[in-house]
Amino acid sequence: MILGGGLMGTATAYFLTRRGVRVTLIERGCVGAGATVASFGNIRRSGRYLPQMPLANRSLGLWPRLENWLGTDVEFRATGHLRLIFDHDGLGMMQQFRKEALDWGLELEVLEPRDIRKRFPGLGPGAIAASFSPEDGSANPRLIAPAFAMAALRGGATIHEQAHVSDMNKTASGFEVVTSVGTFSADTLLNCAGAWGPDIARHFGEEVPITLAGPQMGVTEPLPHRILPVVGVWSKQHGAYLRQVERGNVVFGGAVARTQVGADGFAKVDPHNLSNQLHEVVKLAPALRQATVIRQWSGVEGYVQDMLPVMGPSGTTEGLFHAFGFCGHGFQLGPGVGDAMAELITTGACATPLAPFDIARFSP
């Protein structure tokens, strides 16, 4: 039984059904309507916590196969990830990361200003350098979780949406979860509840320090398609980022503080932030200066105190597993998380090292 129908929950449901496991997925709202749909859709490895790289590499190997497996084009495009550098602090960050990342299977190309102008005209004219990761790219956050969910259904899974959990208990045979649409039992319980994951962990005696907030995202009117890679910034600050979809719209985010979560459990856009955000976005692509923003949105993401996710078995309850708290960096990892958790649950081990994400790190 899986609690949470975001990317992590639906991906795990799918990979469990591929292994012949009977799955019940319970979602408090609609599949993919939480942190997943608020995501930028970035599939990047540059700048990641390096012990997370095996999981990121595992996931990258799965993204190109999803259209065939899921029967849906989730708009994965390996357009590359360009990360611009505007100051010497950013240059130092990139150089240090590039050196250390080689041992983790990631080699970044370093671009001088003339290389940026030649290969990516119009992007980052003020940049002093850039890194480029050609195998990375993006996908559509609105498509991915529903696609995994539909494929899991075809594999025999049962999915209950609008199912609000009122109680859950460890039983002699496993777990019992009481919801607004019925009571369900299973021998194994997987917590993929995202920002609400710590509530489930706490119910079973495990505390995870987490803060809830929402990103500020936006999208422009359709424009002539000129921007191929995903574009970001190496910076000690939270820099802007953008990508242009094939329909021509430019999706952007970053550069401003995340907004607080309201009483309904979701964050709302602060319109006063838009001018500051666009000021930073235009540094990446000056041609966007006259573009019209047609929509803004936010959502809710869980930021664990050490900015690392919680993945693996419970430290208190046999048969309970966790995969939540991806701190706004989980979209790229989603397929790898689902595959890894399915492997761990069915075999008791995982070929990808998950120890850095063990919930036991928060034990007193």
Side-chain angles (χ1 to χ4, degrees):
M1 185 159 40
I2 299 172
L3 299 182
L7 174 53
M8 306 311 174
T10 56
T12 307
Y14 169 73
F15 284 109
L16 282 171
T17 62
R18 283 176 62 96
R19 291 173 176 263
V21 177
R22 187 173 61 184
V23 177
T24 298
L25 186 148
I26 298 170
E27 165 54 42
R28 61 180 293 186
C30 297
V31 162
T36 304
V37 78
S39 169
F40 174 67
N42 200 357
I43 296 175
R44 67 160 179 89
R45 290 170 297 161
S46 58
R48 285 196 178 274
Y49 174 65
L50 288 170
Q52 199 177 67
M53 201 63 70
L55 183 61
N57 289 338
R58 179 174 185 155
S59 196
L60 187 64
L62 298 173
W63 275 104
R65 308 170 73 178
L66 294 184
E67 182 175 357
N68 181 54
W69 285 349
L70 306 183
T72 300
D73 178 11
V74 295
E75 298 181 7
F76 167 71
R77 304 291 185 266
T79 56
H81 185 263
L82 177 70
R83 204 160 185 183
L84 299 165
I85 302 167
F86 292 97
D87 56 44
H88 290 286
D89 285 342
L91 182 61
M93 289 176 61
M94 184 277 290
Q95 291 171 334
Q96 182 67 24
F97 179 85
R98 179 174 180 265
K99 178 181 177 182
E100 296 175 351
L102 283 172
D103 292 335
W104 297 88
L106 174 62
E107 184 172 0
L108 295 178
E109 297 180 33
V110 178
L111 306 182
E112 300 294 332
R114 62 179 180 275
D115 302 319
I116 302 171
R117 290 192 296 270
K118 181 178 180 180
R119 294 175 60 177
F120 306 105
L123 296 180
I128 63 173
S131 67
F132 185 63
S133 179
E135 296 179 324
D136 293 333
S138 64
N140 192 327
R142 293 180 171 271
L143 301 179
I144 186 62
F148 268 125
M150 290 300 296
L153 283 171
R154 292 193 296 270
T158 301
I159 297 178
H160 299 278
E161 296 182 290
Q162 304 296 336
H164 297 271
V165 175
S166 58
D167 196 16
M168 51 192 148
N169 297 288
K170 183 77 169 73
T171 67
S173 59
F175 296 87
E176 182 181 81
V177 175
V178 181
T179 80
S180 56
V181 300
T183 299
F184 306 96
S185 300
D187 57 0
T188 301
L189 181 65
L190 172 60
N191 172 15
C192 286
W196 297 275
D199 297 337
I200 297 170
R202 186 178 304 112
H203 186 85
F204 292 99
E206 297 177 293
E207 291 290 337
V208 176
I210 198 167
T211 301
L212 306 187
Q216 179 148 324
M217 308 298 301
V219 63
T220 74
E221 62 185 319
L223 301 165
H225 197 278
R226 297 288 187 271
I227 305 172
L228 186 62
V230 178
V231 186
V233 182
W234 284 101
S235 174
K236 291 185 177 180
Q237 309 301 318
H238 186 49
Y241 44 83
L242 61 86
R243 64 184 179 93
Q244 188 173 26
V245 303
E246 291 167 355
R247 294 173 293 280
N249 309 78
V250 176
V251 183
F252 62 87
V256 294
R258 298 177 177 93
T259 53
Q260 294 184 342
V261 169
D264 63 353
F266 292 90
K268 306 296 189 297
V269 165
D270 182 352
H272 296 95
N273 285 334
L274 181 59
S275 60
N276 291 333
Q277 188 174 45
L278 291 176
H279 181 267
E280 297 302 313
V281 168
V282 167
K283 290 181 181 178
L284 309 186
L288 297 179
R289 190 177 303 278
Q290 302 301 320
T292 299
V293 176
I294 60 173
R295 187 167 65 90
Q296 293 180 271
W297 68 93
S298 187
V300 58
E301 295 174 334
Y303 298 88
V304 180
Q305 187 177 69
D306 60 6
M307 291 300 287
L308 297 177
V310 174
M311 278 186 72
S314 165
T316 63
T317 309
E318 185 177 359
L320 172 65
F321 295 82
H322 301 292
F324 69 87
F326 287 85
C327 307
H329 305 146
F331 187 79
Q332 192 273 353
L333 301 175
V337 170
D339 193 32
M341 293 307 297
E343 179 188 9
L344 178 63
I345 289 168
T346 56
T347 70
C350 183
T352 300
L354 302 178
F357 320 121
D358 194 330
I359 196 169
R361 70 187 191 270
F362 300 114
S363 299

